[in-house]
Amino acid sequence: MNFNSKNPFLNSKRFSSNAEPRTEVHQAQIIDYNQEMTVSGTINKTAILFLILCGAAMVTWWMTFNGMNPMLPTIGGAIVGFILVLVSSFKPQLSPYLAPGYALFEGLFIGGISAIFELKFPGIVINAVGATLVTFLVCLGLYKFRIVKVTEQFKSVVVAATLAIATYYLISWVVSMFSSWTPVHYGNSMMSIGISVFVIIIAALNLFLDFDLIEKGAREKMPKFMEWYGAMGLMITLVWLYIEFLRLLSKLSSKD
């Protein structure tokens, strides 16, 4: 079975290589269902990670609005979170330990960056949170009732678009560091706003790939630790979506 996703966790190699071997005795399969990945288990793990992320975010949020400088934990959280992502992508079996750590440090980053946006554009955070939640629920409903079907062509288009966005962001960042060139997605021009809308759409479409891969992982009876792995991957997409909503809303607010 072919699994494809831009998400560094939810990809074919990780899911297929961690499938549980089956032990057969006289043509009977011995399966310990308590040791298999389930959709409900992944949902529970996602909820735990979300609570950890929110709790950590409150720390840097509180620091900012109490006159403290949140930049160290904010930047540090982003760096450590990224490192944990890389480690977990190569060692999925460590996900039960790395996923909570990721949520903790990513929460520090999210809280700090959210507070910075909130200071400049009051009310933007609650709007970004609401937009992210609504987008998640809509995508989940569309997937659950099979209104949107994740076909191989659908996967290819979403993955290609996501890779294009990542490549563009990387090149823009590198070039802007060594020149006076300003990337077109900066500022509040109509072109910049259009790019943000496009990126949000692609981020939302990645949710369908995440849902599909988690469901198929459970169907293929992956080991239990893959619940943490899948939950961590879903959190990565949600964090990306939230940040893109913050950026879009800040551009719209700055035009007022």
Side-chain angles (χ1 to χ4, degrees):
M1 185 172 294
N2 184 26
F3 297 119
N4 293 307
S5 176
K6 172 61 177 68
N7 194 305
F9 295 102
L10 309 183
N11 59 61
S12 58
K13 292 182 180 178
R14 296 292 175 264
F15 271 72
S16 60
S17 64
N18 286 284
E20 284 282 12
R22 307 290 173 78
T23 302
E24 294 188 5
V25 178
H26 300 297
Q27 298 182 344
Q29 292 183 343
I30 300 176
I31 303 175
D32 184 355
Y33 289 97
N34 293 323
Q35 298 302 317
E36 294 176 355
M37 179 182 184
T38 64
V39 173
S40 60
T42 306
I43 293 174
N44 293 335
K45 303 307 191 290
T46 303
I48 293 172
L49 296 183
F50 179 74
L51 291 176
I52 294 175
L53 185 144
C54 290
M58 291 177 63
V59 174
T60 42
W61 178 277
W62 179 86
M63 290 177 62
T64 303
F65 286 94
N66 282 272
M68 303 179 190
N69 189 343
M71 294 310 297
L72 181 60
T74 299
I75 297 175
I79 294 174
V80 175
F82 179 70
I83 293 173
L84 293 178
V85 166
L86 292 179
V87 175
S88 188
S89 65
F90 289 103
K91 295 288 185 180
Q93 63 271 24
L94 298 180
S95 296
Y97 312 102
L98 298 178
Y102 163 79
L104 176 65
F105 286 101
E106 195 70 13
L108 294 176
F109 165 71
I110 290 297
I113 202 71
S114 297
I116 293 172
F117 273 96
E118 183 70 18
L119 286 173
K120 190 171 184 179
F121 306 104
I124 191 175
V125 169
I126 188 64
N127 290 328
V129 170
T132 302
L133 178 61
V134 169
T135 301
F136 172 78
L137 293 176
V138 169
C139 291
L140 180 61
L142 292 174
Y143 178 79
K144 181 178 179 61
F145 294 104
R146 297 297 187 264
I147 297 175
V148 174
K149 296 182 180 180
V150 182
T151 63
E152 291 303 316
Q153 183 178 8
F154 178 90
K155 294 177 184 179
S156 298
V157 171
V158 174
V159 169
T162 307
L163 287 173
I165 291 170
T167 302
Y168 167 73
Y169 276 172
L170 178 60
I171 293 175
S172 298
W173 176 66
V174 172
V175 173
S176 63
M177 286 184 61
F178 299 99
S179 70
S180 59
W181 177 69
T182 301
V184 294
H185 66 282
Y186 286 7
N188 58 3
S189 66
M190 292 304 297
M191 175 68 75
S192 178
I193 292 174
I195 291 175
S196 289
V197 171
F198 174 74
V199 173
I200 286 174
I201 292 174
I202 298 303
L205 292 179
N206 269 271
L207 288 173
F208 292 108
L209 270 61
D210 295 345
F211 298 149
D212 182 65
L213 290 166
I214 290 171
E215 184 178 65
K216 287 181 178 179
R219 189 184 308 151
E220 292 295 308
K221 303 185 185 304
M222 299 296 166
K224 197 69 173 178
F225 65 78
M226 294 301 288
E227 292 179 350
W228 288 103
Y229 192 78
M232 190 174 176
L234 184 57
M235 288 299 298
I236 291 172
T237 303
L238 288 173
V239 167
W240 176 30
L241 185 62
Y242 169 71
I243 292 176
E244 292 299 339
F245 268 122
L246 274 181
R247 297 180 65 179
L248 173 62
L249 293 174
S250 68
K251 293 175 184 180
L252 295 175
S253 297
S254 64
K255 291 183 72 70
D256 295 340

